Amino acid sequence: MKKTNSLLNDAWSALSKNKAALISAATMAAMVFMVLLGPIFSPYAIDEIDWSMIAAAPSFSDGHIFGTDDLGRDLFVRTMYGGRISLMVGLVATLVSVMIGVTYGAVAGFMGGRIDALMMRFVDVLYAMPFLFFVILLMVFFGRSIFLIFIAIGAVNWLDIARIVRGQTLNIKGKEFVDAAKTGGVSTIKIIMKHIVPNLLGVVVVYVALTVPQVILVESFLSFLGLGVQEPMTSWGALVNQGARQMESSPWMLLFPAVFLATTLFCFNFIGDGLRDALDPKDRTRGND
Amino acid sequence: MTDLLKTKNLNVRFKSRGESIHAVKDLSFRLSGDEVLGIVGESGSGKSQTVLSIMGLLESNGSASGSAIFADKELIGLSNSELNQIRGNEIAMIFQDPMSSLNPYITIGKQMSGVLKRHTKMSKHEIKERCIEMLDSVGISKPHERYDGYSFELSGGMRQRVMIASALLTNPKLLIADEPTTALDVTVQEKILDLILDVKDRFKKSVIMITHDLGVVARTCDRVLVMKDGELQESGDTEAIFYSPNAAYTKELLEKSKEINLDDQQKYTERQETSIKNSLVKSSKAKVSFMLPKKTLFAANNVLTAVNEISMEAIDGEVLGIVGESGSGKSTLAKTILGLQKLTSGQVEVFGEKLTEINKKELKEIRKKMQVVFQDPFSSLNPRMTVFEILKEPLDSFFPSMTKESAQKDIEDSLMEVGLTSDYLGRYPHELSGGQCQRVAIARALMPKPQLLICDEAVSALDASIRGEIIDLLLRIKSEKKLTMIFIAHDLAVVRKICDRVIVMQSGKIVEQGPTEKVFFEPEKEYTANLLSAVPVPDPRKEKEKYIQRTQAD
């Protein structure tokens, strides 16, 4: 039996030839590892104030390898914890918005007609809400909490995905295999889940890879405005915000979180690019008669 | 007479994923001025690559070697800028798909004048005059208006006329037509082929005609090259090739095309008259219309009626053909019977159930007895599912209580039935060829053991030899399983071969219906007669007679 190469295998072999994407994936993996395990190896806690070391420069001798901030807290530990929050916001908010967006868009596109029109007008209405206003409203009602950030970002991001997915679905819906499935007696829900959604995979995977950095940036932006995570917890965005204020006197406070943030964004962009190329069906092998 | 084009030991090779593919092997041929040379072969025979290599238009992973001398100039090895002087100026090309070779965003005039701006020093005014003159000479009415119009406003045949007009702008010596009429309906094809011949005579051109259709060759060409797998099988005058072929492959091709030759009076299958006439599908005044988008807010509703009050029936055990040109509503009719398209008015009864009066559950029961095979083998299989999953799906939905073992056995049996082995179970559609995909699609349609099989242009997208195999397969399955078939096609020869009864449709209405022999040999309506005579026959003498008749009639 000939070894089959499924689309995902094909995509993987194409991706493994893309050096930029591979290096990015490895870097990302290393960074996640570091963020999760890093704080264990540091003698300091996230909210521990070292009164003798206010805004101290990085040094190996006293254990503050990234230095301390203007309250004397260890910057290494804070950057790692901040990374947990930033990456979590990026992944969780994206995941939530993808799940809502894909289902919503696929249903709207597949149903068509009046249902589609109603569902998409609802999306239009949500689009019209100013994002910042929406976040501030949430904060006023529920108080500051990290979960509100997930909700706020997710609530806005799924709109994009829903629109893209709906467009793709309209395209796939016209394919003959969907008609064939209908005559094969397959129920509507099964058609959406087995025939439409898997064929959206290419678009969605790429979109996810490009959305994660965008979401991290939005969280940073919110934190920068003071609407984000609450002290003593922190995120890369919040750290960059604080660091920017002390840029002249203690540049390391800006430098370290900024390097981590920028590297993450770079990596995700390269991974997204790589996935887009890998899932492009252009050069696929075909059998002969 | 001197040769306009002469190739010697022309070779084309492609590198793909480390493998080298030899697409054209040591091809030598010559083309004199003022003749039509046909290159025939099936897809993959290297016929298109031959001319692309001469034009220097090979994909970046391809390379050509050998020699091709055009008007005393060696073309192989010329730089791109040198080739640009020849391309468009001395050699012009007409492609298969006029839809994708014209840019929908630019006016027709702009696209045409681009060629002249590049190759001549004419003034703007002169360029416009010349374009309009050419549009006029290829038979486009109101050329002034068309000049400022866009390609999407034109029909397929008109677009191909525009392509021919722009190919003629610079007065090239050689016209290369790559399957120029494959995407067109037969009556349009007839007009375009006549136009190419007319243009050739009027402007004294040479033409290379690339096609897979021997009928087209018989109609248009003076000399023919027959190619297979990149190798030249035979070359010679058209009459010699058709009436006394030497190469085995040529004989095979001719045999295959004669098999479904329209002019042959002999009956192919003994049509048996069944005494019991039990109709499986019966439509009475079925009408399907679509709302078109309004042009302005207050404009009246634009309605397109695809199926216009059609009354027909399909009788148990017969093969019913539905023929018609694109836009005749034949596919919409099929979708309506399948319950994929809602009726606007009228009624369709399938297996005695009225489609407008049944619920989802009853529709599912009917679909168990009625399956479909679509045209495009690649888009009718879900690219994310393996052959096994594709075949298992109808079993899951129609027979949910079936055990795994008997499902597995059923799937393997039906795969065997369509001529594939169980090796294919784990494969994805993109690993199969077009013919294999179509076999899988047929196997899927047979899974619920239907009584009625609807084939919507099931063989139109396939190569001639594979088409023959699939038709034989369908006929075998039909007689083994005692199926009733509704066979929708625009290819009259195929319909002629397999159908017992034929319905001819035009713009949503039935023009004529009756037993195949009667409709084909004694058509009552002029439309049917025209449709039939437009089909090119692989017989050069008959084609010549028809051409003379047509030109005298004008």
Side-chain angles (χ1 to χ4, degrees):
Chain A
M1 191 164 160
K2 192 191 149 218
K3 192 181 158 270
T4 60
N5 43 338
S6 72
L7 295 184
L8 286 179
N9 284 348
D10 265 4
W12 173 244
S13 72
L15 189 66
S16 59
K17 278 178 201 141
N18 185 333
K19 277 196 187 123
L22 270 193
I23 292 171
S24 299
T27 316
M28 259 336 284
M31 208 128 70
V32 169
F33 209 62
M34 200 170 154
V35 160
L36 289 180
L37 298 180
I40 297 173
F41 297 105
S42 171
Y44 304 99
I46 181 171
D47 51 357
E48 190 180 328
I49 296 172
D50 191 341
W51 294 105
S52 60
M53 291 272 186
I54 301 287
S59 88
F60 280 101
S61 55
D62 52 22
H64 294 297
I65 53 174
F66 283 6
T68 60
D69 68 2
D70 51 352
L71 291 176
R73 294 176 297 192
D74 181 62
L75 204 56
F76 174 73
V77 176
R78 289 186 69 74
T79 309
M80 294 303 115
Y81 273 106
R84 286 183 187 181
I85 296 287
S86 281
L87 289 177
M88 195 159 75
V89 170
L91 293 174
V92 175
T94 307
L95 211 70
V96 169
S97 57
V98 161
M99 292 214 292
I100 302 174
V102 168
T103 322
Y104 195 91
V107 169
F110 188 76
M111 292 300 182
R114 200 159 283 177
I115 298 176
D116 176 33
L118 272 175
M119 286 175 84
M120 291 327 279
R121 289 307 77 73
F122 178 65
V123 168
D124 289 344
V125 169
L126 289 189
Y127 251 120
M129 294 228 300
F131 176 61
L132 263 184
F133 180 67
F134 178 61
V135 175
I136 292 168
L137 256 177
L138 278 179
M139 300 290 165
V140 169
F141 273 108
F142 300 106
R144 277 170 67 167
S145 136
I146 188 72
F147 289 104
L148 276 185
I149 295 179
F150 290 162
I151 292 169
I153 293 176
V156 173
N157 248 300
W158 73 266
L159 302 174
D160 291 341
I161 298 183
R163 277 195 170 176
I164 292 172
V165 164
R166 173 185 169 266
Q168 281 297 108
T169 307
L170 286 180
N171 182 14
I172 296 168
K173 189 173 80 164
K175 291 268 166 69
E176 286 172 340
F177 64 79
V178 174
D179 275 348
K182 279 188 199 164
T183 42
V186 184
S187 65
T188 307
I189 298 168
K190 267 197 174 164
I191 289 181
I192 293 180
M193 294 323 286
K194 277 181 75 181
H195 292 275
I196 305 280
V197 171
N199 283 293
L200 295 167
L201 201 71
V203 184
V204 171
V205 165
V206 170
Y207 191 80
V208 167
L210 298 177
T211 306
V212 171
Q214 188 202 335
V215 167
I216 294 176
L217 274 180
V218 169
E219 189 277 329
S220 304
F221 168 67
L222 289 178
S223 297
F224 191 85
L225 290 178
L227 294 168
V229 287
Q230 214 163 1
E231 291 287 347
M233 260 333 262
T234 187
S235 76
W236 285 339
L239 286 172
V240 169
N241 177 25
Q242 286 158 14
R245 284 189 229 134
Q246 316 279 332
M247 199 160 64
E248 280 155 20
S249 54
S250 34
W252 58 89
M253 279 181 59
L254 177 61
L255 191 69
F256 288 108
V259 164
F260 273 84
L261 182 57
T263 315
T264 307
L265 301 187
F266 256 125
C267 287
F268 269 107
N269 278 320
F270 278 126
I271 294 172
D273 267 1
L275 281 175
R276 187 182 55 206
D277 293 345
L279 290 166
D280 192 353
K282 241 188 211 161
D283 44 34
R284 286 197 190 137
T285 46
R286 191 166 279 296
N288 286 311
D289 273 302
Chain B
M1 194 183 261
T2 54
D3 294 333
L4 182 65
L5 177 69
K6 188 177 168 188
T7 72
K8 212 177 168 196
N9 297 339
L10 187 68
N11 280 289
V12 177
R13 286 186 180 82
F14 287 94
K15 279 212 178 80
S16 162
R17 295 187 170 192
E19 287 172 58
S20 173
I21 298 160
H22 204 162
V24 178
K25 296 166 191 159
D26 280 331
L27 184 67
S28 306
F29 69 90
R30 52 179 62 194
L31 169 76
S32 60
D34 194 26
E35 76 168 343
V36 182
L37 176 72
I39 306 184
V40 223
E42 302 195 335
S43 57
S45 63
K47 54 191 195 303
S48 290
Q49 297 310 330
T50 305
V51 291
L52 289 179
S53 69
I54 293 169
M55 300 274 281
L57 289 174
L58 289 177
E59 296 281 323
S60 57
N61 62 344
S63 65
S65 62
S67 131
I69 294 169
F70 173 79
D72 300 324
K73 260 182 292 219
E74 173 63 58
L75 294 185
I76 305 294
L78 281 190
S79 73
N80 222 358
S81 61
E82 287 168 312
L83 276 168
N84 273 338
Q85 285 305 314
I86 294 168
R87 285 197 292 245
N89 208 2
E90 293 181 53
I91 305 179
M93 221 168 154
I94 305 164
F95 293 96
Q96 172 176 352
D97 189 0
M99 190 97 83
S100 57
S101 38
L102 286 169
N103 183 341
Y105 285 101
I106 306 176
T107 62
I108 288 165
K110 242 190 178 162
Q111 281 182 59
M112 291 181 73
S113 49
V115 187
L116 285 179
K117 269 184 206 146
R118 174 84 181 70
H119 289 288
T120 62
K121 286 190 182 111
M122 286 173 159
S123 72
K124 258 190 183 168
H125 185 71
E126 280 169 337
I127 287 178
K128 190 175 173 180
E129 287 290 294
R130 170 94 180 133
C131 290
I132 289 171
E133 182 196 326
M134 278 339 289
L135 283 176
D136 191 38
S137 78
V138 295
I140 284 183
S141 57
K142 300 182 196 156
H144 282 272
E145 283 173 34
R146 292 296 174 218
Y147 182 84
D148 292 318
Y150 292 88
S151 60
F152 57 79
E153 299 166 350
L154 302 174
S155 65
M158 287 301 229
R159 288 200 196 111
Q160 202 58 300
R161 279 172 197 268
V162 170
M163 285 306 294
I164 294 172
S166 38
L168 292 172
L169 279 174
T170 51
N171 203 13
K173 293 179 191 134
L174 173 61
L175 263 182
I176 297 177
D178 188 356
E179 302 267 12
T181 56
T182 309
L184 305 174
D185 279 325
V186 272
T187 47
V188 183
Q189 159 167 305
E190 178 169 56
K191 288 185 186 128
I192 296 291
L193 290 179
D194 283 356
L195 173 67
I196 292 176
L197 287 185
D198 175 50
V199 158
K200 178 219 148 209
D201 286 339
R202 261 193 294 159
F203 299 96
K204 300 267 171 284
K205 309 274 181 233
S206 292
V207 179
I208 294 182
M209 177 77 74
I210 299 168
T211 180
H212 67 276
D213 186 343
L214 286 169
V216 171
V217 176
R219 180 167 289 183
T220 54
C221 301
D222 302 314
R223 272 191 326 116
V224 193
L225 306 177
V226 183
M227 284 182 75
K228 190 196 178 195
D229 297 333
E231 277 175 276
L232 181 66
Q233 301 290 319
E234 190 170 4
S235 70
D237 286 342
T238 305
E239 294 216 352
I241 296 270
F242 275 84
Y243 298 127
S244 50
N246 286 323
Y249 181 68
T250 318
K251 284 180 192 157
E252 194 190 318
L253 271 185
L254 279 168
E255 204 47 51
K256 256 182 210 139
S257 66
K258 286 221 174 88
E259 219 171 76
I260 42 180
N261 183 355
L262 284 175
D263 274 11
D264 210 334
Q265 285 273 2
Q266 181 206 341
K267 290 190 178 186
Y268 290 96
T269 45
E270 289 298 315
R271 317 274 191 223
Q272 46 210 7
E273 283 294 313
T274 38
S275 47
I276 322 144
K277 292 201 170 170
N278 184 12
S279 69
L280 297 187
V281 179
K282 191 174 175 188
S283 79
S284 47
K285 295 202 166 174
K287 186 170 175 181
V288 178
S289 38
F290 301 100
M291 294 281 215
L292 297 180
K294 295 180 187 183
K295 283 197 172 138
T296 60
L297 191 59
F298 298 106
N301 276 327
N302 258 329
V303 177
L304 173 84
T305 306
V307 173
N308 199 351
E309 304 205 337
I310 287 216
S311 302
M312 48 75 76
E313 58 182 342
I315 296 159
D316 198 356
E318 74 170 348
V319 181
L320 173 68
I322 302 181
V323 292
E325 300 186 82
S326 52
S328 61
K330 51 192 194 304
S331 287
T332 313
L333 181 61
K335 284 196 169 177
T336 313
I337 295 170
L338 286 163
L340 293 171
Q341 175 65 51
K342 277 208 177 90
L343 279 163
T344 311
S345 68
Q347 186 58 270
V348 176
E349 274 179 51
V350 184
F351 296 102
E353 306 269 359
K354 293 194 169 92
L355 278 186
T356 52
E357 288 170 15
I358 53 172
N359 60 27
K360 264 190 173 173
K361 218 173 155 191
E362 288 163 322
L363 180 63
K364 194 169 164 183
E365 278 308 305
I366 291 179
R367 278 174 172 166
K368 202 157 136 186
K369 300 185 234 167
M370 162 176 76
Q371 288 292 308
V372 62
V373 179
F374 288 106
Q375 170 172 13
D376 184 351
F378 300 123
S379 90
S380 69
L381 302 179
N382 185 344
R384 304 264 174 195
M385 284 162 91
T386 62
V387 170
F388 180 78
E389 289 167 334
I390 289 168
L391 295 182
K392 191 156 182 297
E393 193 175 64
L395 290 182
D396 285 345
S397 60
F398 287 129
F399 313 101
S401 55
M402 202 174 206
T403 61
K404 250 187 175 176
E405 289 75 34
S406 69
Q408 174 87 22
K409 193 178 165 301
D410 263 23
I411 289 167
E412 281 175 12
D413 285 352
S414 75
L415 206 56
M416 203 88 85
E417 212 152 35
V418 296
L420 296 175
T421 59
S422 51
D423 285 355
Y424 288 90
L425 284 176
R427 297 212 194 167
Y428 284 86
H430 73 274
E431 297 170 287
L432 305 177
S433 69
Q436 288 165 344
C437 280
Q438 204 61 312
R439 283 170 197 271
V440 173
I442 293 171
R444 172 178 61 190
L446 294 177
M447 291 310 301
K449 306 204 170 28
Q451 298 170 35
L452 171 67
L453 187 64
I454 299 182
C455 300
D456 188 359
E457 300 268 12
V459 295
S460 338
L462 305 171
D463 265 346
S465 64
I466 293 150
R467 184 182 303 173
E469 286 170 21
I470 298 287
I471 288 172
D472 290 344
L473 172 69
L474 285 171
L475 284 178
R476 201 191 74 220
I477 288 169
K478 190 241 150 198
S479 62
E480 275 176 16
K481 313 222 159 206
K482 307 218 174 352
L483 287 178
T484 308
M485 255 164 64
I486 297 183
F487 196 89
I488 295 164
H490 67 273
D491 187 340
L492 295 162
V494 173
V495 170
R496 160 78 179 79
K497 189 184 174 191
I498 69 171
C499 296
D500 302 316
R501 225 155 48 80
V502 183
I503 292 176
V504 182
M505 280 181 72
Q506 184 196 14
S507 4
K509 288 197 166 146
I510 293 182
V511 178
E512 189 168 354
Q513 58 178 319
T516 309
E517 258 69 39
K518 193 175 165 299
V519 173
F520 275 66
F521 296 114
E522 297 149 20
E524 279 170 12
K525 300 281 159 50
E526 207 191 331
Y527 178 76
T528 317
N530 284 342
L531 207 60
L532 289 168
S533 82
V535 179
V537 190
D539 185 336
R541 282 178 206 148
K542 271 189 192 141
E543 280 301 327
K544 208 163 269 172
E545 270 170 42
K546 283 206 284 188
Y547 182 64
I548 291 167
Q549 272 175 14
R550 277 202 304 275
T551 42
Q552 276 171 351
D554 288 341

